[in-house]
Amino acid sequence: MTEKIYQQDCYLRECEATVLRSEGDELILDRTIFAPDSGGQPWDLGTISGIPVTKVTERNGEVVHVLKKGKNTLADGDRAELAIDWERRFDHMQNHLGEHILSGVFKSRFDIDNKGFHLGDREGTFDLDIPSLTPEMITEAEDLANEAVFRAIPVQRIRLNTPEEAAQYPLRKALSVEEDILVVTVPGVDCVACCCPHPSDTSQIGLIKIIGIEKYKGMTRVHFLCGKRALLDYRQKHIVVSELAEQYSADAYSLLKKVEKAGQKNDAIRRELNELRSSLARRAADALLEESGRYAAGVYEDADMEQIRQTAKRFMELSEKPVILASIKEKTVLLAHSGSAGVQCGKLVKELAEGGRGGGSDTQAQAVFPDTESMLAFVERVKEESGNEQ
Ligand SMILES: [Zn+2]
């Protein structure tokens, strides 16, 4: 049986151990500071005698250290030097205890159970057994959790042998083991059976921040950050807010109002632009109709395709003739008619758009060209095909 030092001293970063079994890439040791994955928390990384550890997991009560593939040089009975990646471990400890505290607060203040925890590389999540949370509940839970941090409450670990002994404690969750029970308690805040490493007092968690909630299988999934993760997140968001504030000549507190105002201004400009486009399209369609023979054709220097489409649409409201419209700006040609002109627009594009690409239906087709010359040549070919040069 491996002595699990990480359960007694969460702060030991290096130690020596003896190899009990070395099999392939896997090692079983007589003692270890490497915590395996447990209850949603990932395993420790680090090295054993200089060989990188890629995974640590518990199998049949044994802690199995998986080494980098093909690198194991240790044999049964060898002495091994263990060193964990402390930054990763402490980050896990901060976020894990943060989750204990948030869960304890949601339970004691709102009587909501935590049904599942996962600690990812970027953020932690847990699932609360309630369909939704109000913003007020989130803020209150966050405040209470951070107050527990500010009070620097010592974290107690109590080893118990039977469920009867454990029943003396106000456990937040039902026990999942019958013996060798480790109860982790933050007095007045949380009490739960857990065998992961935790900081020795709550102040080491640093900031606890809920960064989002989402609906998940009838429950509410809470996304949170603690400690250095929360600091890095604040730093990044501060950069974003500061840059936006400068762009909008605002500060962090007036930024939203300024963005809202700018949005309203944009909406007004967009509406005005649409009205102008419609008016332009009406005029262009009127002019096309006046100059048209069997069909109408127009080549425009600055009109974009949105303008061209609106013009075509307006023209088709006025006439059944086919219309050929080209945008020099976008090197694109639109062929269209309202349905009774007997021209197959898609077929014309396929047969005549040399150098261009595009297609469409009988009543509407579009072709894009690499240069203006090939586009204008296509327009001429379509005109010739219509047998009605203008
Ligand atoms: Zn825990």
Side-chain angles (χ1 to χ4, degrees):
M1 202 65 173
T2 308
E3 183 193 349
K4 296 167 178 170
I5 301 174
Y6 57 86
Q7 287 183 349
Q8 298 131 34
D9 181 357
C10 308
Y11 292 86
L12 194 62
R13 305 178 191 194
E14 292 175 4
C15 81
E16 284 202 340
T18 301
V19 177
L20 294 181
R21 278 201 331 273
S22 175
E23 292 168 354
D25 298 316
E26 296 184 354
L27 289 180
I28 312 281
L29 308 169
D30 66 336
R31 58 209 293 263
T32 187
I33 47 175
F34 282 87
D37 52 344
S38 173
Q41 176 157 324
W43 54 87
D44 284 331
L45 292 177
T47 57
I48 296 178
S49 295
I51 307 161
V53 174
T54 58
K55 187 172 180 175
V56 185
T57 193
E58 203 162 342
R59 202 185 294 150
N60 307 321
E62 288 181 324
V63 180
V64 180
H65 307 76
V66 183
L67 302 180
K68 191 174 175 185
K69 212 168 174 51
K71 296 286 178 189
N72 186 10
T73 52
L74 293 160
D76 294 4
D78 279 358
R79 290 295 283 168
E81 287 170 12
L82 283 55
I84 54 167
D85 176 343
W86 174 248
E87 204 174 320
R88 175 179 164 97
R89 155 66 78 76
F90 190 62
D91 166 63
H92 288 175
M93 284 161 57
Q94 285 182 314
N95 282 275
H96 187 81
L97 188 60
E99 182 254 354
H100 276 238
I101 289 178
L102 280 170
S103 306
V105 165
F106 275 111
K107 180 70 183 169
S108 60
R109 175 64 185 85
F110 303 112
D111 196 24
I112 307 171
D113 288 315
N114 175 352
K115 291 290 190 184
F117 165 59
H118 173 74
L119 183 60
D121 287 340
R122 293 174 68 91
E123 60 179 47
T125 62
F126 56 88
D127 301 328
L128 291 176
D129 193 11
I130 189 165
S132 64
L133 290 174
T134 65
E136 291 76 22
M137 289 163 89
I138 295 167
T139 303
E140 191 177 345
E142 202 174 78
D143 281 344
L144 289 169
N146 281 286
E147 276 164 27
V149 172
F150 304 154
R151 297 209 310 272
I153 307 166
V155 176
Q156 297 171 4
R157 279 177 316 224
I158 305 148
R159 191 170 287 285
L160 304 167
N161 293 316
T162 65
E164 289 70 34
E165 283 176 11
Q168 309 299 313
Y169 293 85
L171 294 178
R172 167 164 53 82
K173 266 173 118 170
L175 284 177
S176 59
V177 286
E178 294 280 297
E179 54 187 9
D180 198 20
I181 303 157
L182 203 55
V183 168
V184 175
T185 167
V186 181
V189 181
D190 189 45
C191 181
V192 72
C194 181
C195 51
C196 294
H198 309 84
S200 55
D201 78 77
T202 56
S203 72
Q204 292 170 47
I205 299 170
L207 183 66
I208 297 178
K209 185 77 191 85
I210 292 172
I211 55 166
I213 56 164
E214 62 174 320
K215 291 190 182 305
Y216 179 75
K217 294 183 177 174
M219 298 185 286
T220 300
R221 176 161 284 184
V222 178
H223 298 249
F224 71 98
L225 301 171
C226 297
K228 195 164 179 191
R229 292 181 184 212
L231 171 66
L232 295 178
D233 185 61
Y234 185 5
R235 188 174 291 157
Q236 180 55 32
K237 284 172 182 166
H238 185 69
I239 290 170
V240 171
V241 169
S242 301
E243 284 188 4
L244 281 176
E246 207 178 309
Q247 280 178 30
Y248 283 88
S249 305
D251 58 32
Y253 300 94
S254 61
L255 180 59
L256 275 183
K257 269 225 152 67
K258 290 251 182 167
V259 171
E260 199 183 322
K261 265 197 174 155
Q264 286 165 354
K265 210 171 161 187
N266 277 343
D267 288 345
I269 292 170
R270 200 170 296 129
R271 274 196 300 276
E272 204 174 319
L273 180 67
N274 283 339
E275 280 163 21
L276 282 172
R277 277 181 185 280
S278 302
S279 157
L280 272 175
R282 278 196 300 275
R283 280 196 214 175
D286 289 347
L288 280 167
L289 185 60
E290 216 176 291
E291 294 162 11
S292 64
R294 279 174 56 198
Y295 62 89
V299 176
Y300 303 91
E301 188 82 40
D302 291 323
D304 59 18
M305 286 313 290
E306 180 52 34
Q307 190 63 43
I308 297 271
R309 271 189 286 274
Q310 284 198 25
T311 304
K313 191 173 168 228
R314 173 68 183 162
F315 181 85
M316 287 188 285
E317 286 166 10
L318 300 174
S319 167
E320 292 180 348
K321 293 175 184 177
V323 62
I324 310 160
L325 300 177
S327 160
I328 291 179
K329 190 171 144 187
E330 297 198 23
K331 298 186 185 67
T332 304
V333 179
L334 178 75
L335 307 181
H337 60 82
S338 57
S340 53
V343 173
Q344 292 172 289
C345 299
K347 196 172 165 225
L348 281 177
V349 165
K350 249 189 186 157
E351 289 174 358
L352 304 177
E354 283 170 25
R357 60 193 164 77
S361 65
D362 280 353
T363 55
Q364 187 162 324
Q366 199 169 299
V368 188
F369 294 85
D371 50 64
T372 310
E373 289 67 36
S374 53
M375 181 187 80
L376 294 176
F378 169 66
V379 171
E380 289 309 313
R381 278 195 295 278
V382 175
K383 283 184 185 177
E384 281 165 22
E385 186 69 19
S386 308
N388 182 19
E389 286 108 275
Q390 285 186 324

